[in-house]
Amino acid sequence: MTEVSTTPIVDENHLISERRQKLTKLRETGNPYPNDFKPQHYSGTLHQEYDQYSKEQLAEMNVAVVVAGRMMLKRVMGKASFATLADVKGRIQAYISKEHLGEDAYDAFKHSDTGDILGVSGVLMKTKTGELSINASEVRLISKNIRPLPEKFHGLSDMELRYRQRYLDLIMNDESRAVFIKRSGIIRVIREALVAQDYLEVETPMMHPIPGGATAKPFVTNHNALDMSLYLRIAPELYLKRLIVGGLNRVFEINRSFRNEGLSARHNPEFTMIELYESYADYKRMMQVTEDLVRATALNAVGSLSFEYQGKLVDLAPAFDQLTIVEAILKYNPQISLEQLNDKEFLKAEIKKLTRKDATSDSLAVLQLVLFEENTEHLLWNPTFIMDHPIETSPLARQSDANPAITERFELFVVGRELANGYSELNDPEDQANRFRQQVEQKDSGDEEAMHYDADYIRALELGMPPTGGLGIGIDRLVMLLTNSASIRDVIFFPHMRPE
């Protein structure tokens, strides 16, 4: 049986019209948007410091407070009323009476609306139910609300509306605000950890004459004065490694990058990542750096190395698993043998079975990677480093000395998705030039994500780049993991969406 809502439907346009009329009257007697009220206290801090005291103790302490916040709830009861104010630290109740405010000020409060931003001065008290409150001696209108907030008992549950109108989401949902506060903390922990290890934070261009540093389709624009095409960066890698050539031994950039790709729960065309490079390091050193950073951010955001993500436990405490692509397939697919993984025809048949498409490569290493992506990647729940990536898919990574078909590269997977990517950097200028030429051939054959040939980067390598380890971590995906968020849109303030 379908439950029928008894909540009356209110015409929003009618409410807006009424509030505009109130605003007109307020303008006749003063400015309804003053800028001279200065709050001195936050609600959350007051609760932390004074919730422990009894009603009698607070009365003796006579704690004077000055708070500003948005009125989320209003209860008018004759000569006394209650209002719930929300600020960035939480919520606190105000007790507002005609006795303490005076008749005119109390009447003005009664005509205020939920959503108004108020300034309240008074002393702390506790109600009969033991709730910490402000016994108001002054209530001022700081900013008049014209557009009514969503129905108070249901908050804001429409996900598309929350993404499009994040400001409204932040007003109505304390959980959303907490996610973004945690996001800021995660970035701060990463920055502080790297600075403590003598990494230098740098800034590199966001508009590139040649897109590089990753295989992806770029956004392109035109610089009118120079009459040339520029590309929004798909990664800062090649510029950061130029700095390594220049003698800056450890560098990092918390950067915005852009890729002209589709939208999904894991992808936004504009995203944030941390990239770092360290001279005289290799991919094994980068795996340790990755492990340390992920654990440090988890302790900051969650307070533990063991937590739930989407109803299932994630444990970051044990050493992260390290598997080659072949080892991972064998571990998670016991029905497949090592002999079969070395059989190209078997791999092509399995790939077609899973994707309903013919494999486009004849490389054994690439076929193994494609099979891993289709039948194993999603099974990697707890942290797992996947190593030994094909040279064809790793144009900037150092070739393995033991096996020329693979590179010294890893990807970190947690909860079934890629979180980080790192490798021993290719510092041989002739090898890098050949790799770029191969990428250009792929681009000429129709691959829109293949790299361009960057002659200036080759020139930099020809000066000599020391052995270097590099790492990139997706900040958005890391925040998703540590805030139990199912979609990347939940952790980006203003995700890209189709036009309304």
Side-chain angles (χ1 to χ4, degrees), residues 107-166:
D107 185 62
F109 167 76
K110 287 197 298 182
H111 286 85
S112 64
D113 296 298
T114 55
D116 285 353
I117 297 176
L118 304 179
V120 176
S121 303
V123 296
L124 290 181
M125 58 171 278
K126 279 199 172 176
T127 63
K128 293 178 181 178
T129 60
E131 182 174 353
L132 186 71
S133 304
I134 302 170
N135 190 351
S137 57
E138 180 187 17
V139 177
R140 287 190 60 193
L141 176 66
I142 306 300
S143 182
K144 178 63 189 166
N145 169 286
I146 297 175
R147 187 171 296 275
L149 300 179
E151 209 280 323
K152 60 180 179 290
F153 297 109
H154 301 292
L156 187 63
S157 58
D158 184 320
M159 294 307 297
E160 182 168 341
L161 185 61
R162 289 173 63 179
Y163 298 148
R164 290 190 185 279
Q165 299 181 28
R166 183 66 79 187

Side-chain angles (χ1 to χ4, degrees), residues 374-420:
E374 295 297 332
N375 73 355
T376 305
E377 180 179 306
H378 67 282
L379 301 174
L380 304 177
W381 189 261
N382 280 318
T384 305
F385 288 115
I386 298 298
M387 306 176 296
D388 294 358
H389 288 250
I391 193 167
E392 293 92 340
T393 60
S394 311
L396 299 169
R398 185 180 186 277
Q399 190 175 41
S400 168
D401 292 331
N403 181 355
I406 60 175
T407 57
E408 294 182 350
R409 177 184 174 188
F410 69 84
E411 289 181 340
L412 174 64
F413 290 86
V414 189
V415 300
R417 59 173 169 252
E418 180 193 347
L419 186 63

